[in-house]
Amino acid sequence: MKFKTVWAVYFSPVGNTKKIVCHIANGLGNELNIPVKECRFTLPSDRDGIYQFGEDDLVVFGTPVYAGRVPNKILPYVQTGFEGNNTALIPVAVFGNRSVDDGLMELKNELELKGFKAIAGAAIASRHVFSEKIANGRPDDKDYADMDKFVHKIVEKLEQCEELPHQGNFIGRNPVGPYYTPLGIDGQPAKFLKAKPLTDMDKCTNCGVCVKVCPLGSISKDNVAEVPGICIKCQACVHLCPEGAKYFNDEAFLSHVKMLEENYTRRAESQFFVD
């Protein structure tokens, strides 16, 4: 199989998914000796039009897993913002050490409806954005070594095929199920849909970073302490604030974080799918 370009396509509010997708894409570019380009759709301004890919493109497409699926506020753009033309696809679902659930299957299914053809796929564990106690330091050296092996297997697979291969074996329900219901430390559903980040004004310098990094453009540029728009709990404003001024104090949200810290600190292994 001959390709002209490897594309690293990603939604990545805090940078974990970008790091993983770009590592895989760069590995493929090096082994295939072709250029690698990035396509970010993280910010509102990135989602103004439709991205089109052809038969000579190899697309590594990644999103984080939110509640066991593609993030619900981003899913509509995944469904409408990308068009392939028998385009080779490697879907990558990045999960925060709990479970990938249906995230990988959903990503693969939605993109195949738009003209892409999955030739391989991966569910890769990463540090959970809610807590540094959950998979801190992931992806680590072993994860990157596993990704490199994955890349090599993909290249071997492509070299053995005259036509674009198809990978049919992926983890997850098909059709996908409902979003995962977050639980609190008491084992009961934790309802924090309306929770929004707060701002420690003693630390805040009004630099505006939080406004710029919010993937839904939900933070007021006139008053960074106000969040009039929808919050998807991506933690971009919390992680990327240079002063550490953003935080959550919603009781249900914190109870869910505590539940995750008590039950999901074991090492979850990544899974790779390439025949």
Side-chain angles (χ1 to χ4, degrees), residues 1-6 32-35 54-59 86-89 119 158 164-165:
M1 302 299 301
K2 297 293 184 180
F3 299 100
K4 289 185 178 179
T5 307
V6 179
L32 295 170
N33 195 29
I34 56 176
E55 292 183 302
D56 55 2
D57 292 316
L58 175 55
V59 175
N86 197 36
T87 303
L89 168 72
I119 64 169
L158 291 171
L164 194 64

Side-chain angles (χ1 to χ4, degrees), residues 91-245:
V92 177
V94 178
F95 66 101
N97 206 58
R98 183 186 66 80
S99 174
V100 70
D101 289 341
D102 296 339
L104 180 60
M105 182 67 76
E106 182 170 41
L107 188 59
K108 188 269 292 186
N109 286 351
E110 294 294 347
L111 291 170
E112 288 198 332
L113 290 174
K114 303 300 292 186
F116 294 86
K117 188 175 182 180
I119 64 169
I124 299 182
S126 180
R127 177 196 160 176
H128 202 296
V129 296
F130 288 176
S131 172
E132 64 181 9
K133 297 179 181 180
I134 306 172
N136 198 22
R138 305 281 304 274
D140 56 18
D141 290 344
K142 181 182 183 302
D143 294 311
Y144 284 118
D146 289 341
M147 284 185 244
D148 292 339
K149 293 176 183 177
F150 176 58
V151 165
H152 189 66
K153 287 182 179 179
I154 293 172
V155 173
E156 287 184 335
K157 180 178 182 178
L158 291 171
E159 290 175 344
Q160 295 169 2
C161 298
E162 294 183 3
E163 297 183 356
L164 194 64
H166 184 249
Q167 175 68 30
N169 179 33
F170 283 91
I171 190 172
R173 293 167 291 186
N174 191 13
V176 301
Y179 282 92
Y180 163 79
T181 299
L183 302 177
I185 193 62
D186 59 359
Q188 298 301 308
K191 299 179 180 180
F192 52 85
L193 188 62
K194 296 183 180 181
K196 294 182 178 182
L198 301 180
T199 305
D200 184 340
M201 297 308 297
D202 290 334
K203 295 180 178 179
C204 179
T205 62
N206 287 300
C207 68
V209 167
C210 57
V211 176
K212 295 176 182 178
V213 302
C214 178
L216 295 189
S218 296
I219 300 175
S220 171
K221 64 179 180 181
D222 297 319
N223 182 355
V224 297
E226 294 183 356
V227 187
I230 294 171
C231 175
I232 59 174
K233 279 40 118 203
C234 71
Q235 308 297 301
C237 62
V238 174
H239 283 253
L240 301 178
C241 173
E243 305 300 330

